[in-house]
Amino acid sequence: MPLLHHSPPQRYLIRFDPKRIPHMFVDVLIIGTGIAGVRAALEVDPKLRVVMVTKDQVSMSNSSWAQGGIAGVLDPSDEFSNHAEDTITAGAGLCDEKVVKAVVESAPKCIRELAAYGANFDKIDGHIALTTEGGHSHPRVAHALGDATGKEVMRALIDSIRGASGTEIWEKTFTIDLLTYAGECRGALMWNSYHGKTFVWAKQTILATGGAGRLYRETTNPDIATADGHALAYRAGAELRDMEMMQFHPTVLYIAGSSRHLITEAVRGEGGHLVDVTGYRFMGDYDDRLELAPRDIVSRAITDQMEKTRHPCVYLDLTHLDPNMIANRFPNISEMCREFGLDLAKDRIPVRPGAHYMVGGLTVDLNGKTTLPRLWAAGEVTSSGLHGANRLASNSLLEGLFFGINAGLGASEAALQIPDNFEAPPVLSGSTFLENQDSLNLTDLLNSLGAIMWRNVGIRRDEAGLAAAATQVDFWERYVSLREFQSVEGWELQNMLLVARLIIESARARKESRGVHYRSDYPNSDDNFQGHVSIVSQ
């Protein structure tokens, strides 16, 4: 399968002089404080010194925004083989069956461990309540606080890690770049507004930075999801895989002028219908599974129906369901809708698709090892083999747990084998930048990038659109990369431009349609193209 090459404009985003920057030495550095990062930290041997870094507050992550739940076989009528089959079916030929089997079989234990850490899952008659979501053949999605599973799970995990000895959490700290020497990851260059730049040298580094949804104009992701981990790992030499596989969530609350809000798949799992502006329930025209078809199918169906009706959205209809069930099952979504004068139980809710989950990412093995020695990764920043070409609903938190545990254990064991050595390798930036910088309107650039990614590299793609996007992003990248920014906003823009190019190149290389990657000029899957598209820096 294709192995692509794309040269990043700069190895490091800034110039640095190691003699003028403070140095810190740790055993394990964890970048990211979502479910994968925190779960990894909990597995590190307490004798080791751990630093966790997040560019926002520790509670702000994609994991905290997860509404639906965590998939796992907890019902006696369900079996591991069912969960595995559903995952592989959704993955459209790109899942690693060994990985799927291992993750699925670990799910009940992972969920029970969360309960032991203090996560309060919703229960019925003393047992964890389970619901069905799109692509699942059985009820197996455990949820908490109705529709705020991520928030509750992260509360419990963060409370646990705050009490761990030997672990330090740095908030509001941006990771500019991974530091490499002799072909190995040796830590990272950090920045925060109080202390400026800091070299953090680590025996082992774990990347758990989340996703890239902010590359797209329409997205469910918070502002922090700017593809930083993908970009800094790529600049450091790690292999990325299946970057064309961005999953779009079918149902995002669409109120013109407002920020977008996810409406969980569980709303359809509990019986919600999708109707168009005329009130017609249209999913039967596209798939026998109706509203519970996999997300890629539902997203394309909604887009098609919007075009047929020449209307900017479709509608979620729950008016036929029990209002008390809706209020109890979806309290947070109900409150969100009320802010816009909508009653979830009485009104049709306007929705349209939005970028939701980055399926592609760093190539990792079952233990979370990347292709760059001393660098591990877990969660949405990776391509683990679990999701294939399309993530099955509520498998994301499960993936973060499983690979967070494995990466934490692996990094801990490796760090224990390396003796302390408080000497910094002779790393040089070697970058050149313009001395005289014209001011740039970063907001305008970000909006323009999001627009072209949504229009040309979104739910539907073709060669002409992808080529046009590549030309435009190359143009922006040429003059943006020549500048040395001193702000998080500037670094994020550089990261997003790089990752946008990686997505575009990968999408052009996959001349077929598979899972979330749909090309109108190659609308069918190609049995000769069932492998991965990998990309590395030259």
Side-chain angles (χ1 to χ4, degrees), residues 44-58:
V44 177
D45 191 297
K47 296 192 294 291
L48 297 175
R49 175 75 180 275
V50 178
V51 166
M52 302 186 70
V53 177
T54 176
K55 70 175 180 179
D56 205 285
Q57 295 178 329
V58 68

Side-chain angles (χ1 to χ4, degrees), residues 337-416:
C337 287
R338 279 194 295 272
E339 293 178 4
F340 297 101
L342 296 171
D343 186 330
L344 193 61
K346 297 179 180 178
D347 298 314
R348 291 174 176 171
I349 308 302
V351 296
R352 62 186 293 176
H356 182 57
Y357 189 90
M358 187 63 191
V359 178
L362 278 80
T363 304
V364 294
D365 67 10
L366 199 58
N367 296 314
K369 275 188 177 181
T370 73
T371 61
L372 181 63
R374 295 198 187 200
L375 179 66
W376 310 71
E380 192 174 354
V381 76
T382 70
S383 172
S384 68
L386 174 64
H387 305 311
N390 185 18
R391 177 178 69 88
L392 182 66
S394 290
N395 268 356
S396 54
L397 293 180
L398 174 60
E399 181 192 41
L401 288 169
F402 179 88
F403 284 93
I405 291 168
N406 284 7
L409 286 170
S412 177
E413 292 172 1
L416 286 168

Side-chain angles (χ1 to χ4, degrees), residues 498-519:
L498 172 59
V499 175
R501 284 297 281 116
L502 303 182
I503 293 173
I504 293 166
E505 287 306 304
S506 299
R508 295 181 77 179
R510 186 175 287 281
K511 293 179 170 61
E512 64 156 358
S513 291
R514 185 176 296 278
V516 297
H517 172 69
Y518 180 79
R519 287 191 55 161

Side-chain angles (χ1 to χ4, degrees), residues 479-528:
Y479 69 81
V480 170
S481 66
L482 294 175
R483 288 158 170 79
E484 184 177 14
F485 291 97
Q486 303 297 326
S487 68
V488 169
E489 293 76 16
W491 298 323
E492 286 178 336
L493 174 62
Q494 291 176 313
N495 287 338
M496 292 169 76
L497 286 169
L498 172 59
V499 175
R501 284 297 281 116
L502 303 182
I503 293 173
I504 293 166
E505 287 306 304
S506 299
R508 295 181 77 179
R510 186 175 287 281
K511 293 179 170 61
E512 64 156 358
S513 291
R514 185 176 296 278
V516 297
H517 172 69
Y518 180 79
R519 287 191 55 161
S520 57
D521 49 352
Y522 296 97
N524 300 314
S525 296
D526 183 350
D527 290 339
N528 296 318

Side-chain angles (χ1 to χ4, degrees), residues 18-178:
K19 293 182 179 180
R20 299 172 64 91
I21 298 176
H23 296 253
M24 181 175 182
F25 296 85
V26 303
D27 295 306
V28 178
L29 171 64
I30 301 175
I31 305 171
T33 57
I35 194 168
V38 177
R39 195 62 189 83
L42 289 168
E43 293 300 317
V44 177
D45 191 297
K47 296 192 294 291
L48 297 175
R49 175 75 180 275
V50 178
V51 166
M52 302 186 70
V53 177
T54 176
K55 70 175 180 179
D56 205 285
Q57 295 178 329
V58 68
S59 59
M60 179 59 71
S61 66
N62 268 1
S63 300
S64 296
W65 287 56
Q67 293 178 348
I70 306 175
V73 176
L74 297 172
D75 190 302
S77 67
D78 198 3
E79 295 181 2
F80 291 138
S81 59
N82 297 328
H83 190 178
E85 182 179 352
D86 293 344
T87 300
I88 291 167
T89 298
L94 284 190
C95 293
D96 183 323
E97 294 190 12
K98 290 182 180 179
V99 172
V100 172
K101 183 176 186 294
V103 175
V104 162
E105 291 182 356
S106 77
K109 180 182 178 183
C110 287
I111 294 171
R112 292 185 180 107
E113 284 177 344
L114 286 178
Y117 279 118
N120 296 307
F121 288 99
D122 298 334
K123 294 183 178 181
I124 297 177
D125 297 329
H127 299 285
I128 293 177
L130 302 173
T131 191
T132 305
E133 292 186 356
H136 288 277
S137 59
H138 292 71
R140 66 167 70 96
V141 179
H143 47 84
L145 303 182
D147 54 1
T149 306
K151 181 179 179 180
E152 171 60 14
V153 165
M154 291 311 301
R155 178 204 61 76
L157 289 178
I158 291 168
D159 285 350
S160 299
I161 199 61
R162 284 196 188 279
S165 61
T167 299
E168 193 174 334
I169 300 174
W170 294 5
E171 296 181 301
K172 299 287 185 179
T173 301
F174 189 84
T175 304
I176 300 173
D177 267 306
L178 295 177

